[in-house]
Amino acid sequence: MLITRKVEFSASHVCRNPALSQRANEELFGAAANPHDHGHNYVLEVTVDGEPDAVTGMVLDLKRLKEILNREVVEPYDHRFLNQEVAPFDRVIPTPENIAMDIWRRLEPHLAGRHHRLYSVRLYETPDLYVDYFGGAA
């Protein structure tokens, strides 16, 4: 069984590789390479896989899942300039793909239970652009 919880956060970033020229960065990343940061209202959907507990009937208490998401993702990310305020983005380009992988890394230890596990992270950068990450498994 899969359960999913959604949270939102706002953050700004610049997508650029410091080893490349401004022109090369603009060709690769378009407007996102602008040296002046820009922001997004991200929507994150986290899915947990498991079997309902015989006593509670829940895969995982959704209140607990919300607390984990707020502590591990919303608090560190919300209203931050990712490139300067959120590791590892001081050395990793904060593309939606890299952000989704970092969110997985933050959540996975907290969602590895006896009867449940983190299944996927879906991160919307815009309403029509999202990344799905499954922890390295396709």
Side-chain angles (χ1 to χ4, degrees):
M1 183 172 292
L2 302 175
I3 61 169
T4 301
R5 184 95 198 200
K6 178 170 47 171
V7 294
E8 299 179 17
F9 62 91
S10 298
S12 62
H13 68 139
V14 174
C15 289
R16 63 182 327 276
N17 183 330
L20 302 176
S21 69
Q22 182 61 29
R23 181 175 179 189
N25 274 296
E26 288 171 358
E27 288 174 6
L28 281 173
F29 301 109
N34 184 328
H36 305 289
D37 62 72
H38 69 281
H40 299 281
N41 294 317
Y42 292 93
V43 175
L44 173 65
E45 296 175 353
V46 172
T47 301
V48 175
D49 178 25
E51 292 300 320
D53 181 80
V55 174
T56 67
M58 297 184 286
V59 170
L60 176 67
D61 182 345
L62 289 174
K63 181 180 174 192
R64 180 167 169 247
L65 180 56
K66 182 179 181 179
E67 290 168 354
I68 293 168
L69 293 176
N70 283 333
R71 183 183 69 242
E72 299 298 325
V73 179
V74 176
E75 289 175 16
Y77 273 82
D78 196 32
H79 291 89
R80 303 283 193 264
F81 177 38
L82 299 179
N83 303 68
Q84 294 178 359
E85 298 180 74
V86 181
F89 302 114
D90 53 339
R91 60 190 188 287
V92 174
I93 300 168
T95 61
E97 297 89 340
N98 285 335
I99 296 169
M101 287 190 293
D102 183 60
I103 289 171
W104 178 282
R105 181 190 60 76
R106 291 169 182 268
L107 294 177
E108 197 274 334
H110 303 283
L111 296 173
R114 205 167 113 198
H115 299 289
H116 62 267
R117 66 177 180 87
L118 181 57
Y119 178 79
S120 69
V121 166
R122 174 173 281 183
L123 179 69
Y124 286 85
E125 185 175 70
T126 64
D128 61 350
L129 182 133
Y130 66 88
V131 173
D132 284 325
Y133 186 66
F134 297 91

